[in-house]
């Protein structure tokens, strides 16, 4: 086993570790609302999310191609593998920091920030127009869409069920939340598992193990399994923030927020092939739903802390990745 192949093996293992942390870091996105409204118990919700993450991860590879080939120019050789390794270290480190403090930051943007930071440290080409089109614009628009659609969809539910028996309606929406939770997890698999597939495929392409940027089947299955296992391991710190600290939702509100968020995630993955943040979309959908009561019903202080975590994720993960590249280059060189 030569040094280059050993480095590739290390990168694949680290990438799957990132995928695992992504699973428990972002598990709350799919299930926190259903748990907070008592539609599902935490363990049942986690199991459902794990299975649907697995299904979503194997349905498409379009987002994987965007992440692997549309953020930086595919590097070559040992130096290229150092860039990919450093990007993963930056993303994992930021994931662990935000998980520890219970902040639902974006694993997607941590990974993209890591790629950019490592590439800049290596004086490697970054596809800035690709970042603008595929990252920055969706990063701004998708939360706004989530908030607006969450508000409008919840208004439609309130009007449509204005004469319904409250107890019976809540019971029905709790059952409906099982379906919306499953769809949320499906969208999460379509989005977040593919980002790891893209990184592993980039490493394989960089090492010369594949000639075209097509995601191998074993990469799809490995990434799907890792994120599914991470999801089942759970993310209870973030679940508490998403499900209760932003706003206490009713079963109808939970159903509305999850339906809107899952719709945005599935659409962006299958129609536009852009890597959006499941965290951003879920959080703003919850805020939009909560705003139908009154604006003061949303705990905007907590929401503000979350937005700060969003804003600093790209540069923070990039800075850690740049440092990781410098240290790795010193050790390898």
């Amino acid at each position: 086993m030569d040094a280059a192949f050993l480095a590739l093996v290390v990168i694949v293992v680290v990438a799957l570790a990132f995928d695992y942390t992504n699973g428990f870091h972002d598990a709350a996105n799919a299930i926190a609302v259903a748990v907070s409204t008592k539609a599902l118990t935490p363990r049942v919700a986690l199991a459902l999310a794990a299975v649907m993450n697995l299904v979503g991860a194997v349905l498409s590879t379009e987002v994987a191609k965007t992440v692997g080939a549309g953020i930086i120019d595919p590097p070559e050789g040992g130096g290229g593998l150092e860039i990919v390794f450093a990007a993963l270290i930056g993303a994992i480190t930021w994931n662990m920091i935000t998980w520890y403090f219970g902040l639902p930051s974006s694993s997607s943007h941590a990974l993209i920030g890591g790629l950019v930071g490592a590439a800049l440290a290596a004086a490697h080409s970054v596809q800035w127009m690709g970042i603008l089109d595929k990252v920055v614009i969706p990063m701004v628009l998708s939360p706004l869409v989530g908030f607006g659609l969450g508000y409008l969809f919840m208004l439609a539910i309130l009007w449509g069920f204005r004469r319904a028996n409250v107890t019976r309606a809540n019971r029905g929406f709790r059952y409906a939340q099982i379906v919306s939770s499953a769809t949320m997890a499906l969208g999460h698999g379509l989005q977040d598992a593919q980002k790891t597939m893209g990184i592993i495929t980039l490493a394989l392409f960089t090492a010369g193990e594949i000639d075209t940027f097509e995601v191998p089947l074993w990469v799809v299955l490995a990434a799907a399994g890792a994120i599914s296992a991470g999801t089942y391991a759970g993310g209870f710190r973030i679940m508490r923030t998403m499900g209760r600290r932003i706003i206490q939702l009713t079963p109808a509100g939970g159903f509305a927020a999850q339906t809107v968020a899952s719709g945005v995630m599935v659409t962006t993955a299958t129609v536009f092939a852009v890597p959006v943040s499941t965290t951003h979309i879920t959080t703003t959908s919850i805020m939009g739903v909560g705003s139908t009561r009154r604006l003061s019903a949303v705990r905007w202080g907590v929401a503000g802390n979350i937005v700060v975590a969003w804003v600093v994720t790209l540069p923070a993960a990039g800075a850690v990745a740049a440092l990781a590249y410098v240290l790795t280059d010193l050790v390898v060189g």
Side-chain angles (χ1 to χ4, degrees):
M1 184 182 294
D2 60 19
F5 186 77
L6 180 61
L8 178 61
V9 171
V10 170
I11 287 173
V12 171
V13 171
V14 173
L16 292 176
F18 167 79
D19 206 23
Y20 181 87
T21 66
N22 193 344
F24 76 70
H25 187 275
D26 287 359
N29 295 341
I31 62 175
V33 176
V35 171
S36 72
T37 61
K38 296 180 170 54
L40 294 168
T41 64
R43 281 298 165 193
V44 170
L46 284 166
L48 174 65
V51 171
M52 295 308 294
N53 262 339
L54 185 67
V55 173
V58 301
L59 287 181
S60 170
T61 59
E62 292 306 309
V63 172
K65 294 174 184 177
T66 298
V67 171
I71 305 301
I72 65 173
D73 291 339
E76 298 178 356
L81 291 177
E82 289 179 32
I83 292 174
V84 179
F85 175 77
L88 287 167
I89 294 301
I92 290 173
T93 302
W94 187 247
N95 263 5
M96 298 306 294
I97 291 171
T98 52
W99 169 82
Y100 179 80
F101 289 104
L103 293 174
S105 68
S106 170
S107 295
S108 308
H109 294 153
L111 185 57
I112 291 167
L115 274 173
V116 174
L120 290 176
H124 185 75
S125 298
V126 176
Q127 298 183 27
W128 293 111
M129 285 306 298
I131 293 173
L132 177 65
D133 293 340
K134 300 291 187 179
V135 179
V136 175
I137 292 176
M139 181 177 70
V140 174
L141 289 182
S142 59
L144 296 176
V145 170
F147 184 93
L149 290 181
Y151 182 85
L152 293 174
F153 190 45
M154 188 61 198
L155 281 183
I157 289 175
L158 290 172
W159 186 84
F161 288 85
R162 64 192 184 280
R163 293 191 178 92
N165 178 276
V166 174
T167 302
R168 188 178 300 125
N170 281 339
R171 187 184 306 117
F173 278 115
R174 284 195 178 96
Y175 287 123
Q177 272 195 274
I178 298 173
V179 178
S180 61
S181 294
T183 310
M184 276 283 294
L186 179 77
H188 186 229
L190 274 169
Q191 277 286 345
D192 284 25
Q194 286 196 53
K195 292 151 191 171
T196 300
M197 296 178 203
I199 289 295
I200 295 176
T201 305
L202 175 61
L204 292 171
F205 185 83
T206 299
E209 295 294 326
I210 56 175
D211 297 324
T212 59
F213 207 93
E214 295 294 328
V215 183
L217 178 61
W218 72 264
V219 173
V220 174
L221 296 177
I227 199 168
S228 182
T231 298
Y232 189 70
F236 291 100
R237 287 174 183 265
I238 294 171
M239 193 187 303
R240 187 163 52 248
T241 300
M242 296 287 285
R244 293 179 180 171
R245 288 183 61 203
I246 297 174
I247 185 170
Q248 185 67 50
L249 292 173
T250 63
F255 170 75
Q258 289 182 310
T259 301
V260 167
S262 60
V264 174
M265 285 190 290
V266 172
T267 301
T268 51
T270 57
V271 177
F272 301 106
V274 294
V276 299
S277 169
T278 57
T279 307
H280 292 193
I281 295 166
T282 306
T283 306
T284 51
S285 297
I286 293 172
M287 291 178 185
V289 167
S291 296
T292 58
R293 299 184 200 173
R294 60 187 187 283
L295 288 177
S296 61
V298 178
R299 297 185 180 109
W300 295 105
V302 175
N305 292 336
I306 293 169
V307 170
V308 170
W310 292 354
V311 171
V312 301
T313 289
L314 281 169
V320 175
L323 178 61
Y325 176 82
V326 171
L327 295 177
T328 303
D329 194 51
L330 286 174
V331 172
V332 174

